Amino acid sequence: MPHVRSSRFVRLLAAATAGVAAVAVLPMASAQAATAPFTVSVTGGYNNTQSLGTATGTVTGTGGSAQASYSVTLCGQSTYPSSRVTIQGGSASVSHTVYYQNCETFSGDLVSSYGFANAQITVSGSTFYPGNQYTTYTKSRTVYF
C-alpha cells in the first residue's frame, strides 16, 4: 500500500526548498576595502630644519587580507643623493627612490605570506650638513585600513 504524505509536510518541504534557493541567489557579503591616506616628511641637518623628502599617497586593502595596493608620490628635497620611501605590510616590503630634487609617482601591490591590517611607510633622506659628516635621517608612520 502506498504511503500518502500530508499536505503540511509537502508545504514545509516546498518552503525549505524555496528558502535554500533564495539564499543561493544572494551575493556573498565580503569585507570592503578601505583606503588609508598618508603624508610622511623627513627633515634633518641643523636642528632638523632641512627638508629631505616627502611621500604622499594611499594604501588600499581589506583588513586581514594578504594583499594591499599602494600609490605614492615621493619628492626629494635638499637631499644628497636621494630620498627613499619603503612601504611594509605583513611580510611584504617595497622601496622606491628618487634622486636629488625630483618627484616621481609609484604604484603597485603588497603581497604578504599572511594577512595584515596596516602598513608602515618610512621615508629617508641624507645630507652632509652639518659639517662634512654624511648622515641619513628617517621618519615613519603607520596607517590602518
Side-chain angles (χ1 to χ4, degrees), residues 6-41:
S6 71
S7 63
R8 181 177 179 204
F9 175 77
V10 172
R11 285 191 314 256
L12 286 173
L13 183 60
T17 303
V20 169
V23 169
V25 173
L26 294 175
M28 293 187 68
S30 62
Q32 295 293 319
T35 299
F38 62 84
T39 298
V40 181
S41 295

PDB file of all heavy atoms in Angstrom, residues 6-41:
ATOM      1  N   SER A   6       1.188  13.991   4.189  1.00  0.00           N
ATOM      2  CA  SER A   6       0.212  15.036   4.494  1.00  0.00           C
ATOM      3  C   SER A   6       0.569  16.307   3.723  1.00  0.00           C
ATOM      4  O   SER A   6       1.714  16.531   3.342  1.00  0.00           O
ATOM      5  CB  SER A   6       0.175  15.322   5.989  1.00  0.00           C
ATOM      6  OG  SER A   6       1.351  15.993   6.365  1.00  0.00           O
ATOM      7  N   SER A   7      -0.421  17.149   3.502  1.00  0.00           N
ATOM      8  CA  SER A   7      -0.171  18.389   2.776  1.00  0.00           C
ATOM      9  C   SER A   7       0.713  19.329   3.585  1.00  0.00           C
ATOM     10  O   SER A   7       1.431  20.149   3.030  1.00  0.00           O
ATOM     11  CB  SER A   7      -1.492  19.064   2.405  1.00  0.00           C
ATOM     12  OG  SER A   7      -2.201  19.428   3.572  1.00  0.00           O
ATOM     13  N   ARG A   8       0.690  19.227   4.903  1.00  0.00           N
ATOM     14  CA  ARG A   8       1.557  20.067   5.736  1.00  0.00           C
ATOM     15  C   ARG A   8       3.025  19.758   5.465  1.00  0.00           C
ATOM     16  O   ARG A   8       3.848  20.658   5.329  1.00  0.00           O
ATOM     17  CB  ARG A   8       1.223  19.858   7.207  1.00  0.00           C
ATOM     18  CG  ARG A   8       2.074  20.706   8.106  1.00  0.00           C
ATOM     19  CD  ARG A   8       1.700  20.547   9.549  1.00  0.00           C
ATOM     20  NE  ARG A   8       2.586  21.373  10.352  1.00  0.00           N
ATOM     21  CZ  ARG A   8       2.851  21.170  11.592  1.00  0.00           C
ATOM     22  NH1 ARG A   8       2.289  20.174  12.229  1.00  0.00           N
ATOM     23  NH2 ARG A   8       3.661  21.949  12.245  1.00  0.00           N
ATOM     24  N   PHE A   9       3.386  18.486   5.371  1.00  0.00           N
ATOM     25  CA  PHE A   9       4.757  18.086   5.094  1.00  0.00           C
ATOM     26  C   PHE A   9       5.191  18.612   3.725  1.00  0.00           C
ATOM     27  O   PHE A   9       6.296  19.121   3.562  1.00  0.00           O
ATOM     28  CB  PHE A   9       4.888  16.556   5.150  1.00  0.00           C
ATOM     29  CG  PHE A   9       6.257  16.083   4.749  1.00  0.00           C
ATOM     30  CD1 PHE A   9       7.323  16.189   5.624  1.00  0.00           C
ATOM     31  CD2 PHE A   9       6.490  15.556   3.487  1.00  0.00           C
ATOM     32  CE1 PHE A   9       8.580  15.765   5.253  1.00  0.00           C
ATOM     33  CE2 PHE A   9       7.745  15.141   3.109  1.00  0.00           C
ATOM     34  CZ  PHE A   9       8.805  15.239   4.004  1.00  0.00           C
ATOM     35  N   VAL A  10       4.343  18.524   2.741  1.00  0.00           N
ATOM     36  CA  VAL A  10       4.661  18.990   1.398  1.00  0.00           C
ATOM     37  C   VAL A  10       4.879  20.504   1.400  1.00  0.00           C
ATOM     38  O   VAL A  10       5.794  21.012   0.764  1.00  0.00           O
ATOM     39  CB  VAL A  10       3.553  18.577   0.404  1.00  0.00           C
ATOM     40  CG1 VAL A  10       3.772  19.213  -0.965  1.00  0.00           C
ATOM     41  CG2 VAL A  10       3.489  17.065   0.296  1.00  0.00           C
ATOM     42  N   ARG A  11       4.041  21.246   2.140  1.00  0.00           N
ATOM     43  CA  ARG A  11       4.209  22.698   2.220  1.00  0.00           C
ATOM     44  C   ARG A  11       5.535  23.054   2.891  1.00  0.00           C
ATOM     45  O   ARG A  11       6.234  23.973   2.473  1.00  0.00           O
ATOM     46  CB  ARG A  11       3.035  23.323   2.988  1.00  0.00           C
ATOM     47  CG  ARG A  11       1.749  23.373   2.182  1.00  0.00           C
ATOM     48  CD  ARG A  11       0.690  24.242   2.875  1.00  0.00           C
ATOM     49  NE  ARG A  11       0.552  23.982   4.283  1.00  0.00           N
ATOM     50  CZ  ARG A  11      -0.442  23.292   4.853  1.00  0.00           C
ATOM     51  NH1 ARG A  11      -1.419  22.830   4.102  1.00  0.00           N
ATOM     52  NH2 ARG A  11      -0.481  23.096   6.145  1.00  0.00           N
ATOM     53  N   LEU A  12       5.877  22.361   3.987  1.00  0.00           N
ATOM     54  CA  LEU A  12       7.158  22.616   4.672  1.00  0.00           C
ATOM     55  C   LEU A  12       8.343  22.310   3.760  1.00  0.00           C
ATOM     56  O   LEU A  12       9.324  23.061   3.726  1.00  0.00           O
ATOM     57  CB  LEU A  12       7.255  21.802   5.956  1.00  0.00           C
ATOM     58  CG  LEU A  12       6.410  22.274   7.124  1.00  0.00           C
ATOM     59  CD1 LEU A  12       6.488  21.267   8.264  1.00  0.00           C
ATOM     60  CD2 LEU A  12       6.864  23.637   7.589  1.00  0.00           C
ATOM     61  N   LEU A  13       8.261  21.213   3.033  1.00  0.00           N
ATOM     62  CA  LEU A  13       9.332  20.849   2.117  1.00  0.00           C
ATOM     63  C   LEU A  13       9.476  21.892   1.010  1.00  0.00           C
ATOM     64  O   LEU A  13      10.588  22.310   0.671  1.00  0.00           O
ATOM     65  CB  LEU A  13       9.058  19.466   1.516  1.00  0.00           C
ATOM     66  CG  LEU A  13      10.131  18.915   0.584  1.00  0.00           C
ATOM     67  CD1 LEU A  13      11.455  18.794   1.318  1.00  0.00           C
ATOM     68  CD2 LEU A  13       9.702  17.573   0.023  1.00  0.00           C
ATOM     69  N   ALA A  14       8.375  22.383   0.470  1.00  0.00           N
ATOM     70  CA  ALA A  14       8.419  23.410  -0.569  1.00  0.00           C
ATOM     71  C   ALA A  14       8.981  24.713  -0.030  1.00  0.00           C
ATOM     72  O   ALA A  14       9.779  25.387  -0.697  1.00  0.00           O
ATOM     73  CB  ALA A  14       7.016  23.633  -1.143  1.00  0.00           C
ATOM     74  N   ALA A  15       8.605  25.097   1.191  1.00  0.00           N
ATOM     75  CA  ALA A  15       9.118  26.331   1.793  1.00  0.00           C
ATOM     76  C   ALA A  15      10.616  26.231   2.043  1.00  0.00           C
ATOM     77  O   ALA A  15      11.364  27.177   1.802  1.00  0.00           O
ATOM     78  CB  ALA A  15       8.369  26.636   3.084  1.00  0.00           C
ATOM     79  N   ALA A  16      11.074  25.107   2.532  1.00  0.00           N
ATOM     80  CA  ALA A  16      12.506  24.925   2.792  1.00  0.00           C
ATOM     81  C   ALA A  16      13.297  24.982   1.489  1.00  0.00           C
ATOM     82  O   ALA A  16      14.367  25.600   1.419  1.00  0.00           O
ATOM     83  CB  ALA A  16      12.745  23.606   3.516  1.00  0.00           C
ATOM     84  N   THR A  17      12.786  24.352   0.452  1.00  0.00           N
ATOM     85  CA  THR A  17      13.466  24.369  -0.844  1.00  0.00           C
ATOM     86  C   THR A  17      13.529  25.788  -1.402  1.00  0.00           C
ATOM     87  O   THR A  17      14.566  26.217  -1.917  1.00  0.00           O
ATOM     88  CB  THR A  17      12.734  23.438  -1.836  1.00  0.00           C
ATOM     89  OG1 THR A  17      12.676  22.131  -1.275  1.00  0.00           O
ATOM     90  CG2 THR A  17      13.440  23.409  -3.171  1.00  0.00           C
ATOM     91  N   ALA A  18      12.441  26.538  -1.276  1.00  0.00           N
ATOM     92  CA  ALA A  18      12.420  27.921  -1.749  1.00  0.00           C
ATOM     93  C   ALA A  18      13.404  28.780  -0.953  1.00  0.00           C
ATOM     94  O   ALA A  18      14.088  29.641  -1.507  1.00  0.00           O
ATOM     95  CB  ALA A  18      11.018  28.503  -1.652  1.00  0.00           C
ATOM     96  N   GLY A  19      13.503  28.560   0.346  1.00  0.00           N
ATOM     97  CA  GLY A  19      14.443  29.321   1.183  1.00  0.00           C
ATOM     98  C   GLY A  19      15.881  29.055   0.807  1.00  0.00           C
ATOM     99  O   GLY A  19      16.693  29.973   0.702  1.00  0.00           O
ATOM    100  N   VAL A  20      16.222  27.794   0.573  1.00  0.00           N
ATOM    101  CA  VAL A  20      17.582  27.443   0.168  1.00  0.00           C
ATOM    102  C   VAL A  20      17.894  28.064  -1.185  1.00  0.00           C
ATOM    103  O   VAL A  20      18.976  28.602  -1.403  1.00  0.00           O
ATOM    104  CB  VAL A  20      17.762  25.910   0.144  1.00  0.00           C
ATOM    105  CG1 VAL A  20      19.063  25.525  -0.534  1.00  0.00           C
ATOM    106  CG2 VAL A  20      17.711  25.355   1.553  1.00  0.00           C
ATOM    107  N   ALA A  21      16.954  28.043  -2.110  1.00  0.00           N
ATOM    108  CA  ALA A  21      17.170  28.635  -3.432  1.00  0.00           C
ATOM    109  C   ALA A  21      17.365  30.141  -3.330  1.00  0.00           C
ATOM    110  O   ALA A  21      18.214  30.716  -4.019  1.00  0.00           O
ATOM    111  CB  ALA A  21      15.991  28.315  -4.349  1.00  0.00           C
ATOM    112  N   ALA A  22      16.608  30.804  -2.464  1.00  0.00           N
ATOM    113  CA  ALA A  22      16.741  32.257  -2.308  1.00  0.00           C
ATOM    114  C   ALA A  22      18.098  32.621  -1.740  1.00  0.00           C
ATOM    115  O   ALA A  22      18.729  33.586  -2.165  1.00  0.00           O
ATOM    116  CB  ALA A  22      15.625  32.800  -1.419  1.00  0.00           C
ATOM    117  N   VAL A  23      18.590  31.860  -0.771  1.00  0.00           N
ATOM    118  CA  VAL A  23      19.902  32.136  -0.180  1.00  0.00           C
ATOM    119  C   VAL A  23      21.004  31.903  -1.202  1.00  0.00           C
ATOM    120  O   VAL A  23      21.982  32.645  -1.259  1.00  0.00           O
ATOM    121  CB  VAL A  23      20.117  31.276   1.090  1.00  0.00           C
ATOM    122  CG1 VAL A  23      21.557  31.342   1.567  1.00  0.00           C
ATOM    123  CG2 VAL A  23      19.169  31.723   2.189  1.00  0.00           C
ATOM    124  N   ALA A  24      20.855  30.901  -2.030  1.00  0.00           N
ATOM    125  CA  ALA A  24      21.877  30.607  -3.039  1.00  0.00           C
ATOM    126  C   ALA A  24      21.984  31.716  -4.069  1.00  0.00           C
ATOM    127  O   ALA A  24      23.042  31.927  -4.658  1.00  0.00           O
ATOM    128  CB  ALA A  24      21.557  29.282  -3.726  1.00  0.00           C
ATOM    129  N   VAL A  25      20.912  32.453  -4.310  1.00  0.00           N
ATOM    130  CA  VAL A  25      20.919  33.520  -5.298  1.00  0.00           C
ATOM    131  C   VAL A  25      21.555  34.797  -4.756  1.00  0.00           C
ATOM    132  O   VAL A  25      22.118  35.586  -5.494  1.00  0.00           O
ATOM    133  CB  VAL A  25      19.475  33.803  -5.789  1.00  0.00           C
ATOM    134  CG1 VAL A  25      19.422  35.015  -6.687  1.00  0.00           C
ATOM    135  CG2 VAL A  25      18.924  32.589  -6.498  1.00  0.00           C
ATOM    136  N   LEU A  26      21.509  35.019  -3.458  1.00  0.00           N
ATOM    137  CA  LEU A  26      22.070  36.235  -2.858  1.00  0.00           C
ATOM    138  C   LEU A  26      23.573  36.265  -3.017  1.00  0.00           C
ATOM    139  O   LEU A  26      24.244  35.247  -2.867  1.00  0.00           O
ATOM    140  CB  LEU A  26      21.725  36.297  -1.366  1.00  0.00           C
ATOM    141  CG  LEU A  26      20.252  36.465  -1.013  1.00  0.00           C
ATOM    142  CD1 LEU A  26      20.075  36.376   0.500  1.00  0.00           C
ATOM    143  CD2 LEU A  26      19.735  37.791  -1.527  1.00  0.00           C
ATOM    144  N   PRO A  27      24.158  37.441  -3.292  1.00  0.00           N
ATOM    145  CA  PRO A  27      25.610  37.526  -3.381  1.00  0.00           C
ATOM    146  C   PRO A  27      26.213  37.391  -1.987  1.00  0.00           C
ATOM    147  O   PRO A  27      25.625  37.793  -0.993  1.00  0.00           O
ATOM    148  CB  PRO A  27      25.862  38.921  -3.952  1.00  0.00           C
ATOM    149  CG  PRO A  27      24.649  39.701  -3.599  1.00  0.00           C
ATOM    150  CD  PRO A  27      23.508  38.711  -3.566  1.00  0.00           C
ATOM    151  N   MET A  28      27.394  36.810  -1.944  1.00  0.00           N
ATOM    152  CA  MET A  28      28.070  36.667  -0.662  1.00  0.00           C
ATOM    153  C   MET A  28      28.564  38.028  -0.196  1.00  0.00           C
ATOM    154  O   MET A  28      29.103  38.803  -0.968  1.00  0.00           O
ATOM    155  CB  MET A  28      29.255  35.706  -0.791  1.00  0.00           C
ATOM    156  CG  MET A  28      28.839  34.288  -1.062  1.00  0.00           C
ATOM    157  SD  MET A  28      30.230  33.177  -1.012  1.00  0.00           S
ATOM    158  CE  MET A  28      30.635  33.247   0.699  1.00  0.00           C
ATOM    159  N   ALA A  29      28.357  38.311   1.060  1.00  0.00           N
ATOM    160  CA  ALA A  29      28.847  39.569   1.628  1.00  0.00           C
ATOM    161  C   ALA A  29      30.353  39.446   1.833  1.00  0.00           C
ATOM    162  O   ALA A  29      30.840  38.448   2.334  1.00  0.00           O
ATOM    163  CB  ALA A  29      28.157  39.855   2.947  1.00  0.00           C
ATOM    164  N   SER A  30      31.072  40.465   1.432  1.00  0.00           N
ATOM    165  CA  SER A  30      32.517  40.445   1.611  1.00  0.00           C
ATOM    166  C   SER A  30      32.948  41.729   2.312  1.00  0.00           C
ATOM    167  O   SER A  30      32.240  42.723   2.302  1.00  0.00           O
ATOM    168  CB  SER A  30      33.227  40.315   0.263  1.00  0.00           C
ATOM    169  OG  SER A  30      32.937  41.428  -0.537  1.00  0.00           O
ATOM    170  N   ALA A  31      34.106  41.655   2.888  1.00  0.00           N
ATOM    171  CA  ALA A  31      34.643  42.834   3.568  1.00  0.00           C
ATOM    172  C   ALA A  31      34.974  43.897   2.530  1.00  0.00           C
ATOM    173  O   ALA A  31      35.382  43.596   1.417  1.00  0.00           O
ATOM    174  CB  ALA A  31      35.884  42.450   4.356  1.00  0.00           C
ATOM    175  N   GLN A  32      34.785  45.133   2.896  1.00  0.00           N
ATOM    176  CA  GLN A  32      35.040  46.247   1.992  1.00  0.00           C
ATOM    177  C   GLN A  32      36.482  46.717   2.135  1.00  0.00           C
ATOM    178  O   GLN A  32      37.002  46.817   3.239  1.00  0.00           O
ATOM    179  CB  GLN A  32      34.097  47.403   2.307  1.00  0.00           C
ATOM    180  CG  GLN A  32      32.648  47.094   2.050  1.00  0.00           C
ATOM    181  CD  GLN A  32      32.358  46.911   0.575  1.00  0.00           C
ATOM    182  OE1 GLN A  32      32.862  47.643  -0.258  1.00  0.00           O
ATOM    183  NE2 GLN A  32      31.570  45.913   0.246  1.00  0.00           N
ATOM    184  N   ALA A  33      37.103  47.032   1.020  1.00  0.00           N
ATOM    185  CA  ALA A  33      38.451  47.584   1.045  1.00  0.00           C
ATOM    186  C   ALA A  33      38.389  49.020   1.568  1.00  0.00           C
ATOM    187  O   ALA A  33      37.446  49.749   1.298  1.00  0.00           O
ATOM    188  CB  ALA A  33      39.059  47.564  -0.347  1.00  0.00           C
ATOM    189  N   ALA A  34      39.382  49.382   2.328  1.00  0.00           N
ATOM    190  CA  ALA A  34      39.475  50.736   2.873  1.00  0.00           C
ATOM    191  C   ALA A  34      40.758  51.379   2.368  1.00  0.00           C
ATOM    192  O   ALA A  34      41.766  50.707   2.161  1.00  0.00           O
ATOM    193  CB  ALA A  34      39.474  50.701   4.398  1.00  0.00           C
ATOM    194  N   THR A  35      40.700  52.682   2.176  1.00  0.00           N
ATOM    195  CA  THR A  35      41.861  53.435   1.704  1.00  0.00           C
ATOM    196  C   THR A  35      42.385  54.306   2.836  1.00  0.00           C
ATOM    197  O   THR A  35      41.634  55.058   3.445  1.00  0.00           O
ATOM    198  CB  THR A  35      41.488  54.306   0.500  1.00  0.00           C
ATOM    199  OG1 THR A  35      41.039  53.448  -0.553  1.00  0.00           O
ATOM    200  CG2 THR A  35      42.672  55.116   0.017  1.00  0.00           C
ATOM    201  N   ALA A  36      43.671  54.177   3.106  1.00  0.00           N
ATOM    202  CA  ALA A  36      44.320  54.962   4.159  1.00  0.00           C
ATOM    203  C   ALA A  36      45.285  55.953   3.515  1.00  0.00           C
ATOM    204  O   ALA A  36      46.294  55.552   2.930  1.00  0.00           O
ATOM    205  CB  ALA A  36      45.075  54.043   5.117  1.00  0.00           C
ATOM    206  N   PRO A  37      44.982  57.251   3.597  1.00  0.00           N
ATOM    207  CA  PRO A  37      45.900  58.257   3.043  1.00  0.00           C
ATOM    208  C   PRO A  37      47.061  58.525   4.005  1.00  0.00           C
ATOM    209  O   PRO A  37      46.931  58.325   5.217  1.00  0.00           O
ATOM    210  CB  PRO A  37      45.017  59.488   2.882  1.00  0.00           C
ATOM    211  CG  PRO A  37      43.978  59.329   3.930  1.00  0.00           C
ATOM    212  CD  PRO A  37      43.754  57.854   4.104  1.00  0.00           C
ATOM    213  N   PHE A  38      48.176  58.997   3.474  1.00  0.00           N
ATOM    214  CA  PHE A  38      49.316  59.328   4.333  1.00  0.00           C
ATOM    215  C   PHE A  38      50.166  60.420   3.707  1.00  0.00           C
ATOM    216  O   PHE A  38      50.176  60.615   2.494  1.00  0.00           O
ATOM    217  CB  PHE A  38      50.183  58.096   4.613  1.00  0.00           C
ATOM    218  CG  PHE A  38      50.807  57.503   3.374  1.00  0.00           C
ATOM    219  CD1 PHE A  38      51.999  57.998   2.856  1.00  0.00           C
ATOM    220  CD2 PHE A  38      50.194  56.454   2.723  1.00  0.00           C
ATOM    221  CE1 PHE A  38      52.558  57.460   1.719  1.00  0.00           C
ATOM    222  CE2 PHE A  38      50.744  55.904   1.580  1.00  0.00           C
ATOM    223  CZ  PHE A  38      51.932  56.398   1.076  1.00  0.00           C
ATOM    224  N   THR A  39      50.870  61.138   4.570  1.00  0.00           N
ATOM    225  CA  THR A  39      51.942  62.053   4.188  1.00  0.00           C
ATOM    226  C   THR A  39      53.035  61.878   5.225  1.00  0.00           C
ATOM    227  O   THR A  39      52.771  61.975   6.423  1.00  0.00           O
ATOM    228  CB  THR A  39      51.473  63.518   4.155  1.00  0.00           C
ATOM    229  OG1 THR A  39      50.455  63.649   3.165  1.00  0.00           O
ATOM    230  CG2 THR A  39      52.623  64.455   3.822  1.00  0.00           C
ATOM    231  N   VAL A  40      54.239  61.588   4.766  1.00  0.00           N
ATOM    232  CA  VAL A  40      55.388  61.417   5.653  1.00  0.00           C
ATOM    233  C   VAL A  40      56.512  62.293   5.127  1.00  0.00           C
ATOM    234  O   VAL A  40      56.902  62.177   3.969  1.00  0.00           O
ATOM    235  CB  VAL A  40      55.848  59.946   5.724  1.00  0.00           C
ATOM    236  CG1 VAL A  40      57.023  59.792   6.684  1.00  0.00           C
ATOM    237  CG2 VAL A  40      54.699  59.028   6.132  1.00  0.00           C
ATOM    238  N   SER A  41      57.008  63.177   5.976  1.00  0.00           N
ATOM    239  CA  SER A  41      58.116  64.062   5.604  1.00  0.00           C
ATOM    240  C   SER A  41      59.282  63.826   6.544  1.00  0.00           C
ATOM    241  O   SER A  41      59.093  63.689   7.753  1.00  0.00           O
ATOM    242  CB  SER A  41      57.686  65.527   5.696  1.00  0.00           C
ATOM    243  OG  SER A  41      56.681  65.798   4.752  1.00  0.00           O
TER     244      SER A  41
END
